[in-house]
């Protein structure tokens, strides 16, 4: 199993530019989560999907952020326009939403720097 | 509202010492799941353990052990005979109950453990 795959691993972008982060969940997992990690706020949920449907997007900071899951094997998180305060590590995680033996599997994260 | 509190921000120990990381949680759900994750300096989040609210049996895995007590809403993590490779940030997390299955993970702020040789 390849695990949760995120791309890119690192991204440096100028303020105002559009940023797209990508995630491929583990095959067979039906829940997908986007988290953001900063020193100030720790790990916080941005949005999560169940069976490709957004369930809770209350953590999305503002309209500049959008997320899609067009199919079970792919999701994107887009920031447009980007701002320096968006600099963080963005994690994608997937899980099988029932009482399985394992927890959530996280990708390696995307370290985003907005300059 | 659900909440996870890790009161210890940083802990420093010398190799071979035992160390316990505290975790206290709040939830109104009767069915919930608790987790511990490790984040080494390389940055990835590594799953350590998952417990459901109906299973209060303590668990041991090598040098790691977990003590789950519903009466005090605590899920503490002990590393026995710590090693330098245990140095990392450790997160406790609570999974909301969504239709009887796992929902969002709510993380504590993390405890940074430094194990010195």
């Amino acid at each position: 199993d390849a695990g949760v795959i995120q791309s890119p691993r690192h991204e440096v972008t100028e303020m105002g530019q559009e940023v797209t982060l990508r995630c491929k969940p583990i095959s067979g997992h039906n829940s997908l989560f986007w988290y953001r990690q900063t020193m100030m706020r720790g790990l916080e949920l941005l949005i999560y999907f169940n069976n490709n449907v957004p369930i809770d997007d209350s953590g999305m900071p503002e309209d500049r952020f959008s997320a899609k899951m067009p199919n079970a094997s792919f999701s994107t998180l887009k920031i447009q326009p980007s701002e320096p305060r968006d600099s963080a590590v963005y994690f994608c995680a997937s899980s099988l939403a029932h009482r399985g033996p394992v927890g959530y599997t996280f990708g390696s994260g995307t370290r985003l720097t907005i300059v | 509202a659900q909440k996870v509190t890790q009161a210890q921000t940083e802990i420093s120990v010398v190799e071979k010492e035992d160390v316990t990381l505290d975790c206290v949680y709040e939830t109104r759900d009767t069915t919930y799941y608790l987790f511990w994750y490790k984040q080494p300096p390389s940055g990835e989040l590594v799953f350590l353990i998952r417990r459901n609210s109906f299973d209060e049996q303590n668990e041991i895995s090598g040098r790691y052990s977990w003590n789950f007590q519903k009466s005090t809403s605590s899920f503490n993590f002990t590393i026995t005979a710590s090693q330098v490779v245990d140095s990392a940030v450790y997160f406790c997390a609570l999974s909301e109950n969504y239709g009887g299955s796992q929902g969002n993970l709510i993380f504590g702020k993390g405890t940074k453990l430094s194990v010195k040789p």
Side-chain angles (χ1 to χ4, degrees), chain A residues 5-21:
Chain A
I5 300 173
Q6 289 187 247
S7 63
R9 289 295 308 272
H10 303 273
E11 174 88 16
V12 180
T13 303
E14 287 189 352
M15 182 174 65
Q17 297 297 307
E18 178 179 293
V19 174
T20 299
L21 311 182

Side-chain angles (χ1 to χ4, degrees), chain A residues 35 37 45 97 99-100 104, chain B residues 33 37 39 50 95 103-105:
Chain A
Y35 286 88
Q37 185 177 30
L45 177 75
R99 293 181 185 180
Y104 302 68
Chain B
Y33 304 86
Y37 281 85
Q39 188 173 42
R50 169 189 183 271
S95 172
N104 170 35
L105 270 181

Side-chain angles (χ1 to χ4, degrees), chain A residues 16-87:
Chain A
Q17 297 297 307
E18 178 179 293
V19 174
T20 299
L21 311 182
R22 297 173 176 79
C23 176
K24 177 179 168 53
I26 289 175
S27 178
H29 281 190
N30 59 355
S31 289
L32 183 140
F33 305 80
W34 282 101
Y35 286 88
R36 178 171 68 175
Q37 185 177 30
T38 60
M39 289 295 292
M40 291 295 295
R41 300 173 67 89
L43 276 157
E44 53 180 347
L45 177 75
L46 298 177
I47 184 170
Y48 84 93
F49 297 84
N50 213 16
N51 295 319
N52 311 338
V53 176
I55 301 300
D56 182 356
D57 65 355
S58 59
M60 296 286 264
E62 47 199 271
D63 291 346
R64 298 184 297 106
F65 285 68
S66 62
K68 294 183 180 179
M69 192 164 186
N71 56 62
S73 59
F74 185 65
S75 176
T76 59
L77 177 68
K78 189 172 293 187
I79 308 172
Q80 166 64 24
S82 57
E83 296 182 3
R85 61 191 166 125
D86 302 328
S87 297

Side-chain angles (χ1 to χ4, degrees), chain B residues 81-99:
Chain B
S82 59
Q83 300 176 0
V84 173
V85 294
D86 296 327
S87 297
V89 180
Y90 290 87
F91 292 95
C92 181
L94 168 69
S95 172
E96 294 178 319
N97 183 19
Y98 172 67

Side-chain angles (χ1 to χ4, degrees), chain B residues 71-88:
Chain B
S71 60
T72 55
S73 297
S74 65
F75 186 43
N76 296 338
F77 173 31
T78 298
I79 302 174
T80 303
S82 59
Q83 300 176 0
V84 173
V85 294
D86 296 327
S87 297

